[in-house]
Amino acid sequence: MAEGSGVWTASANENGERSTLMTDEFDDMYETFKALLDTFTPAESVKRLEQFGTSPDLVQRIRERHEQQTVRIKELEEPHAVVLGNRDTWYTGPQAKDKCWPAIVDLLGKDGWPRDPAIRALDDSSTRVVSLLNHPKEKAFSTRGLVVGYVQSGKTTNFTSVMAKAADRGYKLFIVLAGIHNGLRRQTQARLVQQLVEPNPSMWSQLTGLDKDFTPHENPASYFGKSNKTRVLCVVKKNAAVLRKLARWLEKASDYLQDCPALIIDDEADQATVATSSINPLILDIMGCLPRSAYVGYTASPFANLLIDPGAEDLYPKDFVVNLPKPEGHFGTEVLFGRYALDGEDPEQVDDGYDMIRSIPEEDVPYVRPDTRADIEGFEPVITDTLRSAVEYFWLVTAARRVRGTGNQHSTMLIHTSVNTAVHNSFKRPLARLREQATMSLADTDFLARLRGLWEQETQRVRAEDFREAKVPFDRLLTELSGVLDSCRIIMDNSSSEDRLDYENGPVVAIAVGGNTLSRGLTLEGLAVSYFVRAVSAYDTLLQMGRWFGFRNGYADLPRIWMTDELAEWFRHLATVETEMRRDIDIYMTEDETPLTFAVRLRTHPSLRVTAAAKMRDAVTAASSYGGKRVQTHYFHTNADWLTGNIEAASRLVAASAVSATKVERRPADGRYVFRDVPHDLVIGFLSSYKFHEKSPENDADLITAYIRKRVAAASSLRRWNIAVVGNPRGDSFTFAPGVTVGRNARARLAVRTPDPDFADIKTLMSRRDAAVDLSGDTAKLSEKGIMDRRRIELPDTGLLVLYPIDKVSEPAPAKTARAPLNAEEHVIGVGLVFPEPWDKDSEVEKYISANLSNVRIEEEDYSLLVSEEA
């Protein structure tokens, strides 16, 4: 037995040694395979292994491990992506031999980036983008992709990381299209040199410099010849003269470009690239010179890019769209302005945004911006009370940040009232005079009392503790105020000014007055205060002008924005559009859609285009379906005539419902009535007489009526409706009809000093509980999805219409600092509609809605620089 045992022990040892040898052989061959990937595509690398005589079993195991690595990349939780077909994911992440990406990691670590989550998230997102590029050794490719980020959220760092990883894997030529202004091109060149070139100088050649856009070089072979292994960096403006020179030079270098994989990064890809007769064809010409090229657009406002005709020979992102996640600590549209609830969301869970927006009265606007072009000559702005408060608050914030001694060393204020350079320049003297007066008044008790009052008011409205910061006492920041005033520069930053913002030579304290040069891509370091009254006509232009978005490390409690109430409402709408668009991209990702089959819906606004008219030429009318959706009113007029008409319409509906309903449920304890199985004709009649506010394109009575009629005809659905009346048992009484009396609800308006006194935005009408008012059993704990699922079972074909009597005064709760009394001339009737989710194909209704710009004072973007012959 002992002998037998000895035999078995020896056999086990032999098996173990054999297993170890096989594992070592596999690991060695996998490393060989990874080395082959630098020279060959995955499929070609497998063929090479087979040519080496590698066993089929070992080749299969190598393929399986590589596939596991690619699946890991494809299934990253973030970022989400919509991808054309089964693009080969050849890139499986950084390797030990890489040089460019590790250098970036090292630099970011020195800048204070934590490994987790910041650098890890950047690693994942940039790896996902690189994995969607073609392998650099493919014989020919022309990839088109789009990366959607947030304004001032680190898109430059992301595409720099993508470039680093692509360079580590064999991409050779890197062309960055850096906006239309010299300032952004210079800033981008400096960042890329710092993060790519300087850590590995022997790896890079540069076709452009810090102060030099592209000029043709005599000998292309010195850059692209087979003996030259360096990567080539070229950072250019979107300027026709510059791009034409680059295209011609590349055309002359065609003999050397056959084996030159190129990555084109289009920063601010929606600006100047789409539907421009000068820039768009030249980008396509440059791509035509490069047999192996990948074009990747980066933007926070992709509205124009997603409206390009996918079937045209253009720059539509046919291969992939990547949706970058919002970085932790990022100040975005939604955080600052709030937004409205989307379908399927509980409105009570959607925040109003931080209390950081300050109102500029409409009557102030003519003092800081000329009304017409004819008024520009000789215009001199007046320092209004709101502008004075904004500037003085900026000085206080800068002093407080010096006391804290953390975060960005720079401090900037932005004043943006006009696109016109003469208007910018006119601010120089009044602002300098204001600074001088402040300097001379530092011992004046009245001046200091005003500053103290401003500081106490602002720090009470936004508490430092809510942002994990400590409030800086006024007496403590006062010791820094003199130094702040002494160091504060007043800079006119525009295309014609010589004195520009420059953050490269020590700490900057500056009040920057500008227009287009400050509204695209350029980072305003340490931006603390913005004063903004310029009106624009399109979502993308408006969103990109929001330079206040970004990171505010060490002073997240202190930023403030002064703007008109109209602009604040536009940004709130835009936050809703942006959130809905990103959600659509995420939904399409899970439904196996491709960039050629998906279509992001962009909800309209009565005073804003989605993008410039020329960029919308390939857009089509969107079809609306209401199945499974909840529609509610939140905009109202406040005049008595309009409101009385709606009261009468609601009263007629309730009276008719009381007669027609098969059952009436009275719930006085809850202040609710439910009239069951009311004919749809009564609902359609109500919609014909009830008036929705014209600023609410989603509440379109014609579309809703057409949808109901289509569902009735096509599926015998929505023939019957439940009509609910929801009141507040503690409110004063409101009578709809004999025997139907409930308490009035309180719905305070958003606190804006609106230019239109006949307007109120209550933001949210329906609660989640209200959407279940006609369902049986305990619905209190049901989610939005749970309510819809229950409705499909109990009331699969029945619609719900809810009426809300709203008290005309509606005082807000003391804690609701962003709210104000409704103060309407008559009580308000709110309406909510809940549509069942169809079991079969839903019906669709269409209506084209264009923006009415007739009453909007607009200054469009200046694109004259696109065709300027000055490089």
Side-chain angles (χ1 to χ4, degrees):
M1 182 67 68
E3 184 179 352
S5 298
V7 170
W8 284 108
T9 302
S11 177
N13 287 337
E14 289 171 6
N15 288 336
E17 290 172 4
R18 189 179 299 114
S19 176
T20 301
L21 286 172
M22 290 177 65
T23 300
D24 290 344
E25 181 186 9
F26 172 72
D27 289 341
D28 289 344
M29 289 306 298
Y30 191 74
E31 289 302 314
T32 301
F33 172 75
K34 287 167 64 176
L36 288 170
L37 284 177
D38 287 344
T39 310
F40 306 104
T41 64
E44 189 63 31
S45 297
V46 167
K47 289 181 181 178
R48 298 281 166 163
L49 288 178
E50 292 171 341
Q51 290 172 2
F52 294 161
T54 310
S55 70
D57 178 63
L58 196 54
V59 169
Q60 182 60 28
R61 289 176 61 199
I62 289 170
R63 294 174 74 163
E64 287 172 356
R65 177 184 281 192
H66 180 68
E67 182 61 27
Q68 288 172 0
Q69 295 295 316
T70 62
V71 168
R72 181 187 68 81
I73 303 301
K74 290 178 181 178
E75 295 182 354
L76 283 170
E77 186 173 338
E78 297 279 10
H80 296 158
V82 182
V83 182
L84 177 63
N86 294 315
R87 290 182 65 80
D88 288 334
T89 305
W90 58 276
Y91 183 77
T92 56
Q95 295 183 10
K97 63 180 181 178
D98 292 346
K99 294 183 178 180
C100 294
W101 166 245
I104 289 179
V105 172
D106 185 55
L107 286 170
L108 294 178
K110 291 177 180 177
D111 285 344
W113 281 50
R115 286 270 177 178
D116 198 9
I119 292 179
R120 178 180 56 79
L122 176 63
D123 187 12
D124 286 347
S125 60
S126 54
T127 287
R128 184 64 175 125
V129 176
V130 176
S131 77
L132 294 169
L133 304 179
N134 291 69
H135 191 288
K137 295 301 181 181
E138 287 185 31
K139 290 183 179 179
F141 55 87
S142 182
T143 309
R144 288 165 172 78
L146 179 69
V147 178
V148 182
Y150 291 80
V151 176
Q152 298 284 289
S153 66
K155 293 188 300 298
T156 303
T157 303
N158 188 277
F159 71 65
T160 304
S161 301
V162 168
M163 292 169 66
K165 292 179 176 182
D168 282 332
R169 284 297 174 279
Y171 273 78
K172 182 170 181 64
L173 173 61
F174 296 86
I175 299 172
V176 180
L177 308 173
I180 67 174
H181 297 286
N182 283 318
L184 178 56
R185 195 211 70 81
R186 188 178 191 278
Q187 187 181 75
T188 304
Q189 178 89 34
R191 285 276 298 274
L192 293 174
V193 168
Q194 178 201 16
Q195 296 187 335
L196 291 177
V197 179
E198 290 178 352
N200 293 287
S202 62
M203 281 185 64
W204 292 90
S205 301
Q206 298 182 65
L207 295 175
T208 53
L210 203 59
D211 298 306
K212 179 174 69 73
D213 209 326
F214 177 78
T215 53
H217 296 251
E218 289 299 324
N219 185 13
S222 64
Y223 294 95
F224 303 119
K226 289 187 177 182
S227 61
N228 189 336
K229 302 300 182 183
T230 62
R231 277 58 171 165
V232 181
L233 177 65
C234 181
V235 184
V236 295
K237 290 193 307 294
K238 294 183 198 177
N239 170 278
V242 173
L243 296 182
R244 195 176 295 115
K245 285 187 286 188
L246 177 59
R248 288 172 180 167
W249 187 72
L250 289 172
E251 191 175 1
K252 292 178 181 176
S254 59
D255 291 344
Y256 305 101
L257 298 176
Q258 295 301 315
D259 296 321
C260 177
L263 175 59
I264 300 172
I265 298 290
D266 189 350
D267 191 13
E268 308 298 341
D270 62 300
Q271 185 190 37
T273 295
V274 182
T276 52
S277 58
S278 54
I279 304 302
N280 183 274
L282 288 170
I283 295 175
L284 292 170
D285 286 348
I286 289 170
M287 293 183 68
C289 296
L290 300 165
R292 304 180 188 178
S293 68
Y295 167 92
V296 182
Y298 273 76
T299 182
S301 47
F303 312 114
N305 306 81
L306 296 174
L307 295 177
I308 299 172
D309 179 5
E313 184 58 35
D314 207 328
L315 295 173
Y316 181 81
K318 64 180 178 62
D319 293 299
F320 62 85
V321 178
V322 174
N323 195 16
L324 294 179
K326 184 168 73 172
E328 186 176 343
H330 179 264
F331 273 57
T333 341
E334 180 180 346
V335 168
L336 287 168
F337 295 94
R339 64 170 174 84
Y340 303 108
L342 305 181
D343 294 331
E345 288 186 325
D346 183 353
E348 294 177 342
Q349 302 302 314
V350 180
D351 197 10
D352 285 343
Y354 294 141
D355 185 17
M356 294 180 174
I357 312 302
R358 302 293 173 260
S359 180
I360 299 174
E362 282 293 316
E363 55 267 26
D364 279 14
V365 175
Y367 293 108
V368 295
R369 184 186 72 197
D371 271 338
T372 66
R373 289 181 180 275
D375 298 327
I376 291 175
E377 188 175 350
F379 176 79
E380 181 161 330
V382 173
I383 303 295
T384 62
D385 290 343
T386 53
L387 181 54
R388 179 188 300 274
S389 294
V391 173
E392 289 175 351
Y393 178 73
F394 167 67
W395 290 328
L396 294 174
V397 166
T398 306
R401 290 177 58 199
R402 288 187 174 183
V403 172
R404 285 181 178 170
T406 58
N408 196 308
Q409 63 178 338
H410 308 295
S411 187
T412 308
M413 175 179 178
L414 167 66
I415 296 178
H416 190 154
T417 70
S418 171
V419 70
N420 191 277
T421 57
V423 176
H424 305 160
N425 297 336
S426 70
F427 274 87
K428 183 95 175 181
R429 190 165 55 185
L431 288 172
R433 193 160 53 237
L434 183 64
R435 181 185 57 194
E436 291 165 9
Q437 290 170 352
T439 301
M440 291 186 295
S441 301
L442 285 176
D444 183 85
T445 55
D446 291 340
F447 176 70
L448 294 180
R450 185 172 79 239
L451 293 186
R452 183 186 296 272
L454 176 61
W455 184 248
E456 294 301 328
Q457 179 186 34
E458 288 297 337
T459 52
Q460 285 174 12
R461 288 182 68 172
V462 182
R463 290 163 38 89
E465 295 80 8
D466 294 342
F467 297 84
R468 299 180 182 176
E469 297 288 352
K471 177 184 173 181
V472 178
F474 179 78
D475 291 332
R476 182 71 184 88
L477 69 82
L478 193 57
T479 61
E480 299 285 348
L481 198 54
S482 176
V484 168
L485 290 168
D486 288 343
S487 58
C488 180
R489 298 167 58 207
I490 296 165
I491 296 174
M492 311 295 109
D493 196 302
N494 54 51
S495 56
S496 63
S497 61
E498 294 182 4
D499 188 19
R500 308 291 288 271
L501 280 170
D502 180 4
Y503 297 107
E504 296 173 16
N505 298 301
V508 169
V509 178
I511 300 173
V513 185
N516 287 338
T517 61
L518 299 180
S519 67
R520 274 283 183 171
L522 193 69
T523 299
L524 299 181
E525 298 285 355
L527 181 63
V529 175
S530 300
Y531 187 91
F532 185 79
V533 299
R534 179 179 164 197
V536 297
S537 64
Y539 292 177
D540 42 16
T541 309
L542 187 65
L543 184 60
Q544 289 291 348
M545 287 183 178
R547 294 294 93 193
W548 45 81
F549 304 131
F551 300 95
R552 303 291 177 257
N553 299 328
Y555 68 108
D557 57 319
L558 300 178
R560 299 291 185 273
I561 305 166
W562 271 260
M563 62 171 46
T564 62
D565 294 334
E566 181 179 51
L567 279 168
E569 188 275 322
W570 287 7
F571 273 106
R572 193 178 307 114
H573 172 85
L574 194 54
T576 311
V577 173
E578 189 180 14
T579 303
E580 191 170 49
M581 175 196 68
R582 294 176 192 278
R583 188 177 75 167
D584 273 1
I585 293 174
D586 290 348
I587 289 171
Y588 284 128
M589 182 201 71
T590 63
E591 293 180 351
D592 295 325
E593 298 282 355
T594 78
L596 294 177
T597 59
F598 88 145
V600 172
R601 300 167 301 153
L602 300 172
R603 67 169 67 190
T604 59
H605 186 281
S607 297
L608 288 168
R609 297 188 188 102
V610 172
T611 184
K615 299 177 184 178
M616 294 178 65
R617 66 189 181 196
D618 295 319
V620 296
T621 306
S624 298
S625 297
Y626 290 95
K629 294 182 180 178
R630 185 169 70 181
V631 177
Q632 59 180 313
T633 52
H634 60 87
Y635 288 158
F636 301 97
H637 286 292
T638 56
N639 71 79
D641 288 345
W642 194 84
L643 295 171
T644 300
N646 282 350
I647 291 173
E648 292 172 352
S651 297
R652 286 194 297 271
L653 174 62
V654 172
S657 298
V659 174
S660 303
T662 59
K663 181 181 179 182
V664 179
E665 298 175 7
R666 294 175 172 82
R667 306 175 192 171
D670 290 338
R672 297 174 175 223
Y673 286 76
V674 178
F675 303 88
R676 293 193 177 271
D677 292 330
V678 170
H680 72 278
D681 292 343
L682 295 186
V683 174
I684 288 175
F686 168 74
L687 292 172
S688 70
S689 55
Y690 180 89
K691 302 299 182 189
F692 292 103
H693 197 284
E694 58 274 10
K695 279 192 173 182
S696 305
E698 68 272 21
N699 297 336
D700 188 306
D702 292 339
L703 278 179
I704 295 170
T705 298
Y707 177 79
I708 294 171
R709 285 180 168 145
K710 275 196 170 186
R711 292 303 295 160
V712 169
S716 293
S717 181
L718 297 181
R719 286 185 178 277
R720 293 284 168 175
W721 285 70
N722 293 336
I723 309 299
V725 173
V726 172
N728 180 355
R730 296 181 296 277
D732 294 334
S733 65
F734 183 93
T735 299
F736 280 95
V740 184
T741 299
V742 296
R744 298 194 293 271
N745 300 286
R747 293 289 190 275
R749 71 163 86 199
L750 288 174
V752 293
R753 186 163 33 180
T754 175
D756 180 5
D758 184 28
F759 173 74
D761 179 2
I762 65 169
K763 190 185 171 194
T764 299
L765 176 70
M766 288 185 93
S767 71
R768 184 174 61 209
R769 175 173 172 252
D770 299 341
V773 67
D774 57 342
L775 297 177
S776 63
D778 183 9
T779 60
K781 295 182 179 180
L782 288 179
S783 64
E784 286 278 342
K785 184 177 184 304
I787 290 172
M788 279 302 171
D789 289 344
R790 179 83 67 85
R791 185 169 292 282
R792 289 191 82 183
I793 296 170
E794 292 186 19
L795 301 166
D797 296 310
T798 303
L800 171 64
L801 188 151
V802 187
L803 297 171
Y804 296 81
I806 300 172
D807 187 82
K808 62 184 179 182
V809 178
S810 288
E811 291 279 355
K816 296 285 188 179
T817 57
R819 300 282 176 152
L822 184 58
N823 285 343
E825 294 179 2
E826 184 51 270
H827 300 310
V828 178
I829 301 297
V831 175
L833 298 106
V834 181
F835 294 90
E837 189 172 347
W839 291 98
D840 55 355
K841 185 178 184 296
D842 202 3
S843 302
E844 293 182 339
V845 285
E846 293 184 352
K847 184 174 181 180
Y848 180 77
I849 304 172
S850 62
N852 177 12
L853 306 175
S854 58
N855 296 316
V856 182
R857 166 81 165 85
I858 290 168
E859 289 186 307
E860 298 288 9
E861 288 189 272
D862 178 13
Y863 284 125
S864 59
L865 290 174
L866 301 184
V867 294
S868 167
E869 291 303 315
E870 295 180 14

